[in-house]
């Protein structure tokens, strides 16, 4: 079920990133999605299940490496939100 809908959801998020009007909402939704994936990966680690989704090739082939990768993704999105909010404040001052 999820393997069919997750790519569609991810495609929707990508389209949202392209449309500037929706950037902030898409950033927040992406963080939510990645956090849900983080909990799923943590659950796999706790239960001792080693799954290789090969989403990023050899870079994140284990749940532990995927956790690290996802933390980087979350931090990057938070940085984007911070920079875009600063940008908005600067544009409103002019």
């Amino acid at each position: 079920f999820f393997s069919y809908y997750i790519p569609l959801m991810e495609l929707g998020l990508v389209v949202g990133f392209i449309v500037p009007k929706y950037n902030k909402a898409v950033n927040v939704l992406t963080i939510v999605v990645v956090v849900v994936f983080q909990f799923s990966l943590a659950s796999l680690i706790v239960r001792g299940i080693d799954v290789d989704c090969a989403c990023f090739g050899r870079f994140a082939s284990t749940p532990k490496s995927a956790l690290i990768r996802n933390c980087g993704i979350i931090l990057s999105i938070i940085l984007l939100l911070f920079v875009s909010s600063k940008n908005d404040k600067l544009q409103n001052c002019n």
Side-chain angles (χ1 to χ4, degrees), residues 12-32:
L13 290 173
V14 168
V15 170
F17 275 117
I18 295 170
V19 180
K21 178 179 172 182
Y22 300 114
N23 278 348
K24 286 183 184 178
V26 171
N27 281 326
V28 172
L29 286 172
T30 302
I31 289 174
V32 170

Side-chain angles (χ1 to χ4, degrees), residues 47-62:
R47 293 184 289 154
I49 300 171
D50 191 20
V51 177
D52 178 9
C53 73
C55 296
F56 284 87
R58 291 293 210 193
F59 175 68
S61 60
T62 66

Side-chain angles (χ1 to χ4, degrees), residues 40-94:
S40 300
L41 288 168
S43 170
L44 290 173
I45 292 169
V46 167
R47 293 184 289 154
I49 300 171
D50 191 20
V51 177
D52 178 9
C53 73
C55 296
F56 284 87
R58 291 293 210 193
F59 175 68
S61 60
T62 66
K64 288 180 184 177
S65 60
L67 278 173
I68 294 168
R69 177 203 64 216
N70 288 351
C71 286
I73 291 171
I74 291 170
L75 291 174
S76 298
I77 295 169
I78 290 171
L79 180 64
L80 279 173
L81 282 169
F82 179 75
V83 168
S84 68
S85 70
K86 288 284 190 186
N87 230 4
D88 289 345
K89 288 178 184 176
L90 288 174
Q91 287 179 356
N92 290 336
C93 289
N94 293 332

